[in-house]
Coordinates of all heavy atoms in Angstrom, one line a residue:
Chain A
Q207 N 2.1 -20.4 -6.6 CA 3.3 -19.7 -6.4 C 4.2 -20.5 -5.5 O 5.4 -20.8 -5.8 CB 3.1 -18.3 -5.8 CG 2.4 -17.4 -6.7 CD 3.1 -17.3 -8.0 OE1 4.2 -16.9 -8.1 NE2 2.3 -17.6 -9.1
F210 N 5.6 -23.6 -7.0 CA 6.7 -23.4 -7.9 C 8.0 -23.2 -7.2 O 9.0 -23.8 -7.5 CB 6.5 -22.2 -8.8 CG 7.6 -21.8 -9.7 CD1 7.8 -22.5 -10.9 CD2 8.6 -20.9 -9.3 CE1 8.8 -22.2 -11.7 CE2 9.7 -20.7 -10.1 CZ 9.8 -21.3 -11.3
F211 N 8.0 -22.3 -6.2 CA 9.3 -22.0 -5.5 C 9.8 -23.0 -4.6 O 10.9 -23.0 -4.2 CB 9.1 -20.6 -4.8 CG 9.1 -19.5 -5.8 CD1 7.9 -18.8 -6.1 CD2 10.2 -19.1 -6.5 CE1 7.9 -17.8 -7.0 CE2 10.2 -18.0 -7.4 CZ 9.0 -17.4 -7.6
Chain B
M1 N 8.1 -11.7 -1.7 CA 8.2 -12.9 -2.6 C 9.6 -13.2 -2.9 O 10.5 -12.4 -3.1 CB 7.5 -12.5 -3.9 CG 7.5 -13.6 -4.9 SD 6.4 -13.3 -6.2 CE 4.8 -13.0 -5.4
K2 N 9.9 -14.5 -2.8 CA 11.3 -14.9 -3.1 C 11.4 -15.4 -4.5 O 10.6 -16.1 -5.0 CB 11.6 -16.1 -2.2 CG 11.7 -15.7 -0.7 CD 12.1 -16.9 0.1 CE 11.9 -16.6 1.6 NZ 12.2 -17.7 2.5
D3 N 12.4 -14.9 -5.2 CA 12.7 -15.4 -6.5 C 14.1 -15.9 -6.6 O 14.8 -15.6 -7.5 CB 12.3 -14.4 -7.6 CG 12.5 -13.0 -7.2 OD1 13.2 -12.8 -6.2 OD2 12.0 -12.1 -7.8
E4 N 14.5 -16.7 -5.6 CA 15.8 -17.2 -5.6 C 15.9 -18.5 -6.3 O 15.2 -18.8 -7.3 CB 16.3 -17.4 -4.1 CG 15.9 -16.3 -3.2 CD 15.6 -16.8 -1.8 OE1 15.8 -18.0 -1.6 OE2 15.2 -16.0 -1.0
Q6 N 16.4 -21.5 -8.3 CA 15.6 -22.1 -9.3 C 16.4 -23.0 -10.1 O 17.6 -23.2 -9.8 CB 15.0 -21.0 -10.2 CG 13.9 -20.2 -9.6 CD 13.3 -19.2 -10.5 OE1 13.5 -19.4 -11.7 NE2 12.7 -18.2 -10.0
V11 N 17.9 -20.0 -17.5 CA 17.7 -18.6 -17.1 C 16.6 -18.6 -16.0 O 15.6 -19.3 -16.1 CB 17.1 -17.8 -18.2 CG1 17.3 -16.3 -17.9 CG2 17.9 -18.1 -19.5
T12 N 16.9 -17.9 -14.9 CA 15.9 -17.9 -13.8 C 14.7 -17.0 -14.2 O 14.9 -15.9 -14.7 CB 16.5 -17.4 -12.5 OG1 16.6 -16.0 -12.6 CG2 17.9 -18.0 -12.3
I13 N 13.6 -17.4 -13.9 CA 12.3 -16.7 -14.3 C 12.0 -15.8 -13.1 O 11.9 -16.3 -12.0 CB 11.2 -17.7 -14.6 CG1 11.6 -18.6 -15.7 CG2 9.9 -16.9 -15.0 CD1 10.6 -19.7 -16.1
P14 N 11.8 -14.5 -13.3 CA 11.4 -13.6 -12.2 C 10.1 -14.0 -11.5 O 9.2 -14.6 -12.2 CB 11.2 -12.2 -12.9 CG 11.8 -12.4 -14.3 CD 11.8 -13.8 -14.6
G15 N 10.1 -13.8 -10.2 CA 8.9 -14.1 -9.5 C 7.6 -13.5 -10.0 O 6.6 -14.2 -10.1
K16 N 7.7 -12.3 -10.4 CA 6.5 -11.6 -11.0 C 6.0 -12.3 -12.2 O 4.8 -12.4 -12.5 CB 6.7 -10.2 -11.2 CG 7.1 -9.4 -10.0 CD 6.6 -8.0 -10.1 CE 6.6 -7.3 -8.8 NZ 6.3 -5.9 -8.9
T17 N 6.9 -12.8 -13.0 CA 6.5 -13.5 -14.2 C 5.8 -14.8 -13.9 O 4.8 -15.1 -14.5 CB 7.7 -13.8 -15.1 OG1 8.3 -12.6 -15.5 CG2 7.4 -14.6 -16.3
I18 N 6.3 -15.5 -12.9 CA 5.7 -16.7 -12.5 C 4.3 -16.5 -12.0 O 3.3 -17.2 -12.3 CB 6.5 -17.4 -11.3 CG1 7.9 -17.8 -11.7 CG2 5.7 -18.6 -10.7 CD1 7.8 -19.0 -12.7
Y19 N 4.1 -15.4 -11.3 CA 2.8 -15.0 -10.8 C 1.9 -14.8 -12.0 O 0.7 -15.3 -12.0 CB 2.9 -13.7 -10.0 CG 1.7 -13.5 -9.2 CD1 1.5 -14.1 -8.0 CD2 0.7 -12.6 -9.6 CE1 0.4 -13.9 -7.2 CE2 -0.4 -12.4 -8.9 CZ -0.6 -13.0 -7.6 OH -1.7 -12.8 -6.9
R20 N 2.4 -14.1 -13.0 CA 1.5 -13.8 -14.2 C 1.3 -15.1 -15.0 O 0.2 -15.2 -15.6 CB 2.2 -12.7 -15.1 CG 2.0 -11.3 -14.4 CD 2.4 -10.3 -15.4 NE 3.8 -10.3 -15.8 CZ 4.8 -9.6 -15.1 NH1 4.5 -8.8 -14.2 NH2 6.1 -9.8 -15.5
F21 N 2.2 -16.0 -15.0 CA 1.9 -17.3 -15.6 C 0.6 -17.9 -15.1 O -0.1 -18.5 -15.9 CB 3.1 -18.3 -15.4 CG 4.3 -18.1 -16.3 CD1 5.5 -18.7 -16.0 CD2 4.1 -17.4 -17.5 CE1 6.6 -18.5 -16.9 CE2 5.2 -17.2 -18.4 CZ 6.4 -17.8 -18.1
Q54 N 4.8 -6.9 -22.3 CA 5.1 -7.6 -21.2 C 4.8 -9.1 -21.3 O 5.5 -10.0 -21.0 CB 4.3 -7.1 -20.0 CG 4.5 -7.9 -18.7 CD 4.5 -7.0 -17.5 OE1 5.5 -6.9 -16.9 NE2 3.4 -6.3 -17.2
R57 N 7.3 -10.8 -23.5 CA 8.5 -11.0 -22.7 C 8.4 -12.2 -21.8 O 9.3 -13.0 -21.7 CB 9.0 -9.7 -22.0 CG 10.4 -9.6 -21.8 CD 10.9 -8.3 -21.3 NE 11.1 -7.3 -22.4 CZ 12.2 -7.3 -23.2 NH1 13.2 -8.2 -23.0 NH2 12.4 -6.4 -24.1
D58 N 7.3 -12.2 -21.1 CA 7.0 -13.3 -20.2 C 7.1 -14.7 -20.9 O 7.7 -15.6 -20.5 CB 5.7 -13.2 -19.5 CG 5.7 -12.1 -18.4 OD1 6.8 -11.7 -17.9 OD2 4.6 -11.6 -18.0
L59 N 6.4 -14.7 -22.0 CA 6.2 -16.0 -22.7 C 7.6 -16.4 -23.3 O 7.8 -17.6 -23.5 CB 5.2 -15.9 -23.8 CG 3.7 -15.6 -23.4 CD1 2.8 -15.8 -24.5 CD2 3.4 -16.6 -22.2
N60 N 8.5 -15.5 -23.5 CA 9.8 -15.9 -24.1 C 10.6 -16.7 -23.1 O 11.5 -17.3 -23.5 CB 10.5 -14.6 -24.5 CG 10.2 -14.3 -25.9 OD1 9.1 -14.5 -26.3 ND2 11.2 -13.8 -26.6
Y61 N 10.3 -16.6 -21.8 CA 11.0 -17.4 -20.8 C 10.7 -18.9 -21.1 O 11.4 -19.7 -20.6 CB 10.5 -17.0 -19.4 CG 11.2 -15.8 -18.9 CD1 10.4 -14.6 -18.7 CD2 12.5 -15.7 -18.6 CE1 11.0 -13.5 -18.2 CE2 13.1 -14.5 -18.2 CZ 12.3 -13.4 -18.0 OH 12.9 -12.3 -17.5
L62 N 9.6 -19.2 -21.8 CA 9.3 -20.6 -22.1 C 10.0 -21.1 -23.3 O 9.8 -22.2 -23.7 CB 7.8 -20.7 -22.3 CG 6.9 -20.2 -21.2 CD1 5.4 -20.1 -21.6 CD2 7.1 -21.1 -20.0
V84 N 5.9 -25.5 -16.4 CA 6.8 -24.7 -15.6 C 6.2 -24.5 -14.1 O 6.9 -24.6 -13.2 CB 6.9 -23.3 -16.2 CG1 7.6 -22.3 -15.2 CG2 7.8 -23.3 -17.4
L85 N 4.9 -24.4 -14.1 CA 4.3 -24.2 -12.8 C 4.3 -25.5 -12.0 O 3.9 -25.5 -10.8 CB 2.9 -23.6 -12.9 CG 2.7 -22.2 -13.4 CD1 1.3 -21.8 -13.6 CD2 3.4 -21.2 -12.5
Chain C
dC12 P 18.4 -7.8 -9.0 OP1 18.3 -8.9 -8.0 OP2 19.2 -7.9 -10.2 O5' 16.9 -7.3 -9.4 C5' 16.1 -6.6 -8.5 C4' 15.0 -6.0 -9.3 O4' 15.4 -4.8 -9.9 C3' 14.4 -6.9 -10.4 O3' 13.1 -7.2 -10.0 C2' 14.5 -6.0 -11.7 C1' 14.6 -4.6 -11.1 N1 15.3 -3.6 -12.0 C2 14.6 -2.4 -12.3 O2 13.4 -2.3 -11.8 N3 15.2 -1.5 -13.0 C4 16.4 -1.7 -13.5 N4 17.0 -0.7 -14.2 C5 17.1 -2.9 -13.2 C6 16.5 -3.8 -12.4
dG13 P 12.2 -8.1 -10.9 OP1 11.3 -8.8 -10.0 OP2 13.0 -8.8 -11.9 O5' 11.4 -7.0 -11.6 C5' 10.6 -6.1 -10.9 C4' 9.8 -5.2 -11.8 O4' 10.7 -4.3 -12.5 C3' 9.0 -6.0 -12.9 O3' 7.7 -5.5 -12.9 C2' 9.8 -5.7 -14.2 C1' 10.4 -4.3 -13.9 N9 11.8 -4.1 -14.5 C8 12.8 -5.0 -14.5 N7 13.9 -4.5 -15.1 C5 13.5 -3.3 -15.5 C6 14.2 -2.3 -16.3 O6 15.3 -2.3 -16.7 N1 13.4 -1.2 -16.5 C2 12.1 -1.0 -16.1 N2 11.5 0.1 -16.4 N3 11.4 -1.9 -15.4 C4 12.2 -3.0 -15.2
dT14 P 6.7 -5.9 -14.1 OP1 5.4 -5.9 -13.5 OP2 7.3 -7.1 -14.8 O5' 6.9 -4.7 -15.1 C5' 6.6 -3.4 -14.6 C4' 6.6 -2.4 -15.7 O4' 8.0 -2.3 -16.2 C3' 5.7 -2.7 -16.9 O3' 4.9 -1.6 -17.1 C2' 6.7 -3.0 -18.0 C1' 7.9 -2.2 -17.6 N1 9.3 -2.7 -18.1 C2 10.1 -1.9 -18.8 O2 9.8 -0.7 -19.1 N3 11.3 -2.4 -19.1 C4 11.8 -3.7 -18.8 O4 12.9 -4.0 -19.2 C5 10.9 -4.5 -18.1 C7 11.3 -5.9 -17.7 C6 9.7 -4.0 -17.7

Side-chain angles (χ1 to χ4, degrees):
Chain A
Q207 296 304 303
F210 176 86
F211 286 105
Chain B
M1 183 168 300
K2 293 181 190 177
D3 29 20
E4 317 146 3
Q6 287 182 21
V11 194
T12 77
I13 305 178
K16 298 214 166 174
T17 296
I18 295 293
Y19 196 81
R20 286 190 294 266
F21 276 164
Q54 174 145 245
R57 207 167 277 280
D58 284 342
L59 294 190
N60 272 35
Y61 283 111
L62 303 171
V84 168
L85 291 177

